[in-house]
Amino acid sequence: MAAIQQLLDIPLIWEKLEHKTERMLTLIGGKSPHVAKDNGKYDDQRLDWWTSGFWPGILWIMHDMTGRAAYREAAWNWDERLERLTLAPNSFDHDVGFQFLPTAVIKYTLTGDPDALRRGLAAASFLAGRYNLNGRFIRAWNGDKTGWSIIDTSMNLSLLFWASQQTGDPRYAQIAQAHAGTVLKHFIREDGSVNHIVSFDPHSGEVLEVLGGQGHAPDSGWSRGTAWALYGMANTYRHTGDKTFLHAARRVAHFFLAHLPEDHVAHWDFRAGSSLDGEPRDTSAAACAASGLLELAESLSAVDGRIYRESAERILKSLYEHYGTWEDAEHEAILLHGTGHKPAGDNVDVSLIYGDYFFVESIARLAGWKHRIF
């Protein structure tokens, strides 16, 4: 606790977050936000877009921490809104964990709502149905990419582990652990850096190639993908007790931390060139990694976990002091300077709802939040 008091004034930051999220509730309302650009206004993305769960996730965390009914009321029908899309053509894919963990699953956890349980289990069954037996991976996206799998899916595995716990059916967890094993074998490199996309032959399961995806190059170090792997492997260890996943999480964490600049907020890719001067930061990668580091610290003894906890605090301190919108009452986001998809030129130097979500989640953890979404 001394380390938290030394590095972060949690009561002060939490007070600022409460004020900010109250304002966001008024400004965002029922929108499905993804990105806020120079005008500070969040867009209203389609509901089957992968980011649709993060705003209601913030609302549920704030309700759980404060007891305020306004957050609960605003979050309540998001899982129902998502379920309606299953009755029509939609684009749901490997990211249903990002959509249903922060809506249906946390709603059921906090309220016991039976419809939320049903919706969460339906999403888990959908995700399990994307598993490729020969390749031992969960396929990414839709269309003709039948052999593609991506590191982001590491964060969606918690939906499958939860479904096994709820139903007593081990198959969900078996699929999650098998996919996580493939992440160890084909995504996480020896030095702790991470591939974004691995293309498999969907029939034989053999690896065909590695693709750069949202990273600078196939062999680069996309920082948000690194954060997905860190947090996802730490979660997998919590669910399985298999220390190979714990060791993998630590290896990825060491790569991430070793490549941070002086202010502890990651560039969008750690290997974007011989010099990172002028390369954009990604506050979403920083916030996600911070929460993953806190998860990792909780899996270890106080002595072994200290380095990860204190590293998370340093990241969060920098995000709070240098990247926040605390003084701008009309800005609808919390964090500035996120990077979505730099190679495509999409959403560079913007605010991203998942960056905001993981910042709120991290601070809530340090403030004593007892539940988890991922």
Side-chain angles (χ1 to χ4, degrees):
M1 206 57 190
I4 298 174
Q5 294 170 351
Q6 179 183 354
L7 292 176
L8 293 170
D9 186 341
I10 294 298
L12 173 62
I13 298 174
W14 187 256
E15 181 181 351
K16 291 280 190 74
L17 264 184
E18 282 199 56
H19 179 75
K20 185 69 182 183
T21 53
E22 285 176 8
R23 188 68 182 149
M24 291 169 74
L25 187 57
T26 300
L27 295 171
I28 296 173
K31 290 196 300 186
S32 180
H34 173 208
V35 58
K37 297 185 178 180
D38 290 343
N39 66 3
K41 306 300 180 185
Y42 263 125
D43 61 353
D44 188 7
Q45 187 58 264
R46 68 178 197 262
L47 286 180
D48 58 352
W49 188 244
W50 74 275
T51 58
S52 58
F54 291 108
W55 170 233
I58 291 173
L59 295 171
W60 279 118
I61 292 173
M62 295 307 298
H63 168 67
D64 198 22
M65 288 291 289
T66 68
R68 286 195 57 210
Y71 291 119
R72 182 180 185 272
E73 291 167 4
W76 184 264
N77 72 337
W78 273 90
D79 58 325
E80 181 181 356
R81 292 173 68 186
L82 290 171
E83 182 186 40
R84 289 180 200 149
L85 296 179
T86 64
L87 303 177
N90 61 70
S91 297
F92 286 128
D93 55 24
H94 60 280
D95 278 331
V96 288
F98 281 136
Q99 294 161 313
F100 284 86
L101 284 165
T103 56
V105 173
I106 189 62
K107 178 180 177 180
Y108 174 69
T109 299
L110 298 181
T111 73
D113 181 71
D115 286 326
L117 173 64
R118 175 178 56 77
R119 292 167 185 143
L121 292 176
S125 294
F126 173 85
L127 184 59
R130 300 180 68 86
Y131 182 68
N132 182 294
L133 290 173
N134 286 347
R136 297 174 65 83
F137 66 86
I138 294 171
R139 66 161 293 189
W141 298 307
N142 298 315
D144 60 355
K145 300 177 177 67
T146 54
W148 283 25
S149 189
I150 62 175
I151 195 62
D152 315 41
T153 304
S154 302
M155 286 295 293
N156 291 286
L157 300 181
S158 293
L159 180 64
L160 297 175
F161 287 118
W162 169 83
S164 272
Q165 293 164 2
Q166 295 301 316
T167 64
D169 188 334
R171 293 176 296 171
Y172 297 102
Q174 288 165 356
I175 289 172
Q177 188 161 352
H179 178 89
T182 298
V183 170
L184 295 183
K185 185 175 181 180
H186 295 299
F187 284 84
I188 299 176
R189 307 179 190 126
E190 186 176 355
D191 66 354
S193 61
V194 174
N195 295 320
H196 182 197
I197 302 171
V198 177
S199 175
F200 299 85
D201 183 310
H203 301 285
S204 69
E206 294 181 3
V207 173
L208 298 178
E209 61 179 329
V210 173
L211 303 167
Q214 289 174 254
H216 176 69
D219 59 351
S220 67
W222 179 44
S223 60
R224 192 164 67 251
T226 311
W228 295 146
L230 190 173
Y231 199 168
M233 292 301 98
N235 285 339
T236 301
Y237 170 68
R238 184 179 83 246
H239 287 293
T240 65
D242 186 336
K243 289 192 174 181
T244 57
F245 299 113
L246 176 64
H247 298 326
R250 297 183 74 171
R251 189 163 82 249
V252 175
H254 296 168
F255 175 85
F256 190 97
L257 295 174
H259 287 78
L260 290 180
E262 288 186 7
D263 74 347
H264 308 289
V265 174
H267 292 88
W268 74 280
D269 192 305
F270 296 121
R271 292 171 175 161
S274 56
S275 172
L276 293 177
D277 292 343
E279 293 290 340
R281 303 300 179 93
D282 184 9
T283 51
S284 75
C288 178
S291 201
L293 289 164
L294 293 174
E295 179 64 44
L296 182 54
E298 289 185 29
S299 297
L300 298 164
S301 68
V303 172
D304 288 342
R306 179 179 173 183
I307 183 177
Y308 306 113
R309 186 183 184 96
E310 291 185 349
S311 295
E313 292 166 12
R314 281 190 286 271
I315 292 170
L316 294 167
K317 185 174 189 290
S318 185
L319 290 173
Y320 168 71
E321 292 180 349
H322 304 299
Y323 295 85
T325 64
W326 313 111
E327 307 307 320
D328 187 346
E330 297 306 311
H331 202 295
E332 295 182 1
I334 297 170
L335 296 179
L336 301 169
H337 307 307
T339 298
H341 192 337
K342 175 68 160 55
D346 289 339
N347 299 326
V348 178
D349 195 17
V350 296
S351 297
L352 296 163
I353 191 62
Y354 41 94
D356 287 357
Y357 168 83
F358 285 111
F359 183 80
V360 172
E361 181 184 84
S362 297
I363 299 301
R365 281 176 178 267
L366 292 175
W369 186 42
K370 301 303 182 186
H371 291 107
R372 286 183 174 89
I373 286 179
F374 289 97

